[in-house]
Structure formats: C-alpha cells, structure tokens
C-alpha cells in the first residue's frame, strides 16, 4: 500500500492507475517449473540379464538413438522397435492431439564414432571402442552401461547427459545403446 | 561497395573455414552473413521500435523521465540493465520497464514475448550503443540476490537430459564442438552476449532478445522452458550480462 502511494505521488497519478502500472509488468513465477524439472541424485544401475546382445535390430536401435536428436527430424524408416513419437507419461490424449516426438540420445553432438555425421568433441571419441577399450580390458560392458545411464557415478562433475535417472530412456534402450558402442563395427 | 563485401566475405571464410566440413555454415551461408553484417535485417525492426517508443512511451525523453535520469545520462544508465528499479521495487529488464511505461501512459503494454516488444526493447537498448556494459551486481541487496539466483539457475542441472547451462558454457568446454556448433564463450569479445542482444538470428530469420535466446537453449537441451520476465529469467540475464561487463554495446547484434 505504501509503495502504491509512493508511486502515485511520484507520477502525480491516481492510485488506481499506479496499481495498474505494477500489475502491467509481467513477472511470472518460474520456481515451480524449475523445481519439477530438477535432476535427481546420482544412481547406480546394474545391467539386467541379456542386456548386451549382438541382435541386429537392437544394435540398429542403439545406433539410431546415438546418431539422432528426436523423432521430429527423422525422415524415412526407423529401425524395428523404435517409434518417432512418444506420449508423455500420465497425460491423457484426445484423438486430435499431437503426440510429442520421441527423444533420442543425440550422443553424436558430443562424441565421434564410426559413420558419425557432424560429430562434436566435448566427449571422448568412441571410434574403435571395442578394440581400444573393451578388448584391452580398460573398460567393461557394465562401465559403459552405467556411464550412459548416469555418468555421475564415474565422474560427479560430468558434462555428459544423464539418460536413465531422468527416465528419458528405458533399461532396454540403454542396453541397445551400450550393445551398439561395444559391438565390432565394419 | 561490392569490393568491400567481397573482402568481408573472404575474411569470414578465413575464420570459419578452419573446421572444414564440420561447421554448419555453407559457402552461401557465409556470403549471406557477410551481406547481413553490412546491412543487418533487424535495423528496420529497431527503427520501428523507435517509433513505438515515441508513440507509446514519450520517446527517449519519456524513458529517461520514468527512470529518473537526464536524457544525457540515459545511454550510460541503460548500459547497466537489468537493474533494480525503485518505482517497480524489482530487478527489471528493459522490456519490463517499457511495459510499466506503456501502462503509465494509458496504453495496453506489449506482451514480453511479442515481436513489438522485442523491437521496442531492442531500440531502447540501442540507445546505449557504444557505451560499455556497466551492470553492477553488488549495487544493492536486490542486485546481489538477482546475481546469486542467476548463478544458481545457470548451474542447476535439470530436464530430460540432466543438463545445466554450465554443461555447455563452462570454461572446460568452451571452444569444443557440439554437433557442428563451437560452444561460445558468452563473455568474450567475439560473442559478448550481454552486449549484442537483442540480435537478428539468421537461423530464425527474426529479431530476438537475450531471454528469448536462453529459451532456445533450454528448448534444445530439453530443460523445461521458463517464462520471459520471471525473476529467474531476469536473474539469468543479470548473470550472463555481467560476463560481458566492460564490453561495448552494439545493438542489434547478428547471430547465427
């Protein structure tokens, strides 16, 4: 109230008008949006049985998730078992509603790998990963799985995306991506 | 005229070609960028913002009066935004000040996200062209709090991929390449985000504000997008603008 009075004397305007000025300024609260969006604590994940596979379809899905950002950009056919769109959990959709694009990994934004187009270099180059890291024993499948699921276990200050703790992917999808990375590529 | 353009274009080619195929700018993009450097497509929008300020806010004089400074001091004062504005009792962006001023003059304020507001706030900031950013984040408790909040929002990991602004804009990754884009140093002379927005974004073919640019990053990186003008957004603007402190303002900027 005293602020309004001050305003109205400053401008020599009526009180009602001064209150208009304050309410004319958009200043919405964003704290709830941020609070709902926060990343949970770092989480340890163990590979489920049968996670790593040489199944062609699984590796194709893993490769596709690695190379692409989301379903809205995809032209042409997807690997079997992968969708272009995905409903948001807990939301109800009417028939005319648009279903949002399914998010993929966009790993190539930060990592180079065999056949990458426009790869970034924020993360290490994953080319020849099988030969350089798995065969040599420097890494094992579980390490790679955990890295993709929640990279903070290995490196608390990582700049890498968090993929399973956030619920962006399913366990199976993390297995598909891991299978792709550790596979022998030609 | 044409000769100058060719020199510019080849100078840019020199800068941008080092990454070869990796960088997203094609030869025709580069030529367009050179052309736009001479003739920023947003100049005309900034001019329309000037007209809107005259029509709805009493022009530069009206803005100076509202802010309680002389017209001579207005450019240097604007170079300190966002700042604590006593009449509104909040740390405000220029766009919010313009909303208040429109209302005071009996007009319905432009929405913060409207093209009209982008143009008018671009003009208002351009009043400070050639001034150096002089934001003072310790000027008062309100600015200190805004800076601290901006720091927090910048560093908060969130969204579907668990990223924060820091994930891509920390000194550890600046200069690395994300997909085909080199990660910019927000405070450097080359980018000086706080001094070059509102800017024309070539990839969006439109004039955008700094807060709108933040929304673009949030959207791309899958962080829930927060609304323009929210205390958190203004705080981010305070935090990012402070990184360009001392750098010369040049509005409208030109961005990829």
């Amino acid at each position: 109230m005293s602020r309004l009075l001050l305003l109205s004397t400053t401008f020599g305007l009526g009180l009602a008008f001064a209150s208009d000025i304050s309410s004319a300024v958009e200043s919405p609260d964003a704290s709830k949006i941020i609070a709902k969006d926060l990343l949970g604590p770092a989480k340890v994940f163990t590979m489920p049985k049968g996670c790593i596979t040489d199944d062609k379809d699984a590796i194709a899905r893993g490769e596709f998730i690695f190379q692409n950002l989301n379903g809205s950009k995809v032209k042409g056919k997807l690997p079997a078992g992968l969708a272009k769109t995905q409903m948001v959990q807990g939301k109800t959709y009417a028939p005319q509603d648009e279903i949002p694009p399914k998010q993929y990994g966009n790993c190539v934004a930060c990592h180079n790998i065999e056949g990458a187009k426009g790869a970034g270099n924020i993360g290490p180059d994953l080319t020849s990963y099988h030969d350089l890291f798995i065969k040599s024993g420097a890494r094992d499948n579980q390490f790679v799985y955990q890295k993709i699921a929640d990279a903070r276990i290995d490196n608390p200050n990582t700049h890498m995306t968090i993929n399973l703790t956030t619920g962006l992917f399913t366990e199976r999808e993390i297995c598909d991506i891991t299978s792709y990375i550790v596979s022998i590529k030609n | 005229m044409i000769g100058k353009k060719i020199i510019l274009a080849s100078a840019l080619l020199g800068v941008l070609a080092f990454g070869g195929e990796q960088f997203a700018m094609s030869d025709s993009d580069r030529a367009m960028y050179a052309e736009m450097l001479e003739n920023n497509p947003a100049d005309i929008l900034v001019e329309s913002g000037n007209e809107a300020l005259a029509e709805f806010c009493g022009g530069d004089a009206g803005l100076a009066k509202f802010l309680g400074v002389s017209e001579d001091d207005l450019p240097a004062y604007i170079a300190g935004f966002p700042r604590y504005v006593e009449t509104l009792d909040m740390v405000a962006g220029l766009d919010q000040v313009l909303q208040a001023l429109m209302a005071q003059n009996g007009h319905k304020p432009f929405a913060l996200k409207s093209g009209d507001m982008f143009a008018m706030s671009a003009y208002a900031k351009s009043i400070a062209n050639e001034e150096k950013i002089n934001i003072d984040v310790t000027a008062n408790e309100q600015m200190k709090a805004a800076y601290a909040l901006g720091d927090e929002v910048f560093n908060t990991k969130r969204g579907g991929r668990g990223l924060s602004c820091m994930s891509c804009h920390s000194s550890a990754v600046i200069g690395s390449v994300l997909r085909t884009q080199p990660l910019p140093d927000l405070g450097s002379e080359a980018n000086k985000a706080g001094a070059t927005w509102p800017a024309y974004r070539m990839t969006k073919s439109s004039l955008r504000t700094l807060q709108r640019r933040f929304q673009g990053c949030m959207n791309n990186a899958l962080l829930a997008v927060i609304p323009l003008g929210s205390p958190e957004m203004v705080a981010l603007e305070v935090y990012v603008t402070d990184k360009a402190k001392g750098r010369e303002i040049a509005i409208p900027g030109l961005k990829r």
Side-chain angles (χ1 to χ4, degrees):
Chain A
M1 195 60 185
S2 61
R3 206 179 104 222
L4 286 184
L5 277 172
L6 188 78
L7 262 174
S8 61
T9 46
T10 312
F11 300 130
L13 300 165
L15 206 119
F17 208 55
S19 82
D20 272 0
I21 293 172
S22 290
S23 62
V25 176
E26 284 175 65
S27 179
D29 175 37
S31 61
K32 287 196 193 72
I33 301 175
I34 292 176
K36 259 179 61 184
D37 199 38
L38 292 179
L39 176 62
K43 222 167 142 177
V44 174
F45 293 98
T46 309
M47 280 191 296
K49 270 210 184 70
C51 180
I52 304 305
T53 167
D54 50 18
D55 174 67
K56 270 222 223 55
D57 286 340
I59 289 179
R61 285 193 298 273
E63 177 170 13
F64 197 87
I65 293 173
F66 193 99
Q67 304 280 2
N68 290 279
L69 173 62
N70 67 48
S72 72
K73 304 265 189 289
V74 175
K75 295 184 196 88
K77 262 185 71 179
L78 285 159
L82 205 57
K84 274 191 198 181
T85 55
Q86 185 171 46
M87 293 187 178
V88 175
Q89 229 183 5
K91 200 179 150 184
T92 11
Y93 288 83
Q96 70 274 13
D97 289 349
E98 207 180 306
I99 301 167
K102 173 165 174 57
Q103 297 296 332
Y104 307 131
N106 200 27
C107 317
V108 72
C110 297
H111 295 282
N112 193 24
I113 201 164
E114 284 85 351
K117 290 197 184 78
N121 64 4
I122 298 164
D125 191 333
L126 303 176
T127 309
S128 302
Y129 198 84
H130 183 87
D131 275 0
L132 295 177
F133 295 100
I134 302 293
K135 227 164 77 182
S136 70
R139 305 287 192 224
D140 60 14
N141 296 341
Q142 171 59 37
F143 174 89
V144 178
Y145 181 83
Q146 175 68 55
K147 191 82 200 179
I148 303 169
D150 194 328
R152 290 172 296 171
I153 296 299
D154 175 52
N155 174 5
N157 303 314
T158 187
H159 292 297
M160 170 146 161
T161 51
I162 309 299
N163 295 293
L164 192 52
T165 311
T166 51
L168 190 66
F169 296 110
T170 62
E171 263 190 344
R172 186 60 244 167
E173 286 168 330
I174 304 287
C175 287
D176 292 349
I177 307 168
T178 309
S179 299
Y180 164 62
I181 291 174
V182 303
S183 68
I184 299 170
K185 302 166 191 78
N186 15 359
Chain B
M1 186 72 178
I2 284 179
K4 194 169 152 213
K5 264 183 204 162
I6 289 172
I7 292 170
L8 248 175
S10 50
L12 271 157
L13 239 140
V15 176
L16 296 166
F18 65 90
E21 282 298 295
Q22 210 170 32
F23 293 91
M25 267 204 191
S26 65
D27 287 350
S28 62
D29 281 351
R30 259 174 234 135
M32 188 173 77
Y33 187 72
E35 161 74 34
M36 285 178 173
L37 269 184
E38 287 221 339
N39 206 345
N40 191 320
D43 285 341
I44 188 169
L45 297 167
V46 175
E47 187 44 38
S48 77
N50 183 5
E51 283 160 20
L53 191 80
E55 184 176 349
F56 300 112
C57 304
D60 293 19
L63 180 57
K65 184 161 176 245
F66 183 84
L67 293 170
V69 296
S70 71
E71 243 185 286
D72 280 351
D73 292 340
L74 186 62
Y77 194 78
I78 286 176
F81 266 90
R83 52 164 74 236
Y84 176 68
V85 179
E86 218 167 279
T87 43
L88 301 173
D89 192 19
M90 65 190 267
V91 173
L94 266 177
D95 50 357
Q96 290 167 308
V97 165
L98 295 171
Q99 283 193 321
L101 187 46
M102 286 181 87
Q104 186 197 297
N105 289 350
H107 303 290
K108 185 174 184 293
F110 296 148
L112 291 183
K113 66 173 183 207
S114 66
D116 285 339
M117 181 53 94
F118 286 5
M120 189 158 70
S121 57
Y123 171 72
K125 181 136 177 202
S126 78
I127 295 173
N129 274 351
E130 291 170 34
E131 292 285 332
K132 294 192 160 76
I133 297 264
N134 63 24
I135 188 168
D136 182 357
V137 298
T138 59
N140 45 53
E141 289 313 309
Q142 291 85 350
M143 283 300 282
K144 283 184 201 163
Y147 182 84
L149 178 61
D151 189 3
E152 186 189 330
V153 176
F154 199 84
N155 283 287
T156 299
K157 291 188 172 192
R158 57 190 184 91
R161 303 191 196 277
L163 294 171
S164 74
C165 313
M166 202 60 179
S167 308
C168 299
H169 297 295
S170 80
S171 53
V173 295
I174 284 169
S176 309
V177 175
L178 180 85
R179 199 104 205 193
T180 55
Q181 293 315 306
L183 292 172
D185 177 346
L186 300 181
S188 72
E189 184 54 38
N191 302 300
K192 52 174 182 184
T196 48
W197 294 86
Y200 187 79
R201 261 203 97 181
M202 294 187 287
T203 48
K204 307 286 175 194
S205 301
S206 63
L207 175 73
R208 306 229 157 168
T209 61
L210 187 56
Q211 290 187 22
R212 183 66 187 81
R213 183 68 188 86
F214 297 162
Q215 288 186 327
C217 273
M218 291 175 196
N219 203 28
N220 287 340
L222 228 54
L223 279 61
V225 174
I226 61 175
L228 304 179
S230 57
E232 292 78 2
M233 245 329 181
V234 178
L236 263 186
E237 183 170 351
V238 166
Y239 181 80
V240 170
T241 301
D242 185 62
K243 290 180 184 296
K245 191 166 175 169
R247 302 211 186 271
E248 199 171 291
I249 297 176
I251 307 298
L254 181 66
K255 304 283 174 174
R256 198 186 67 87

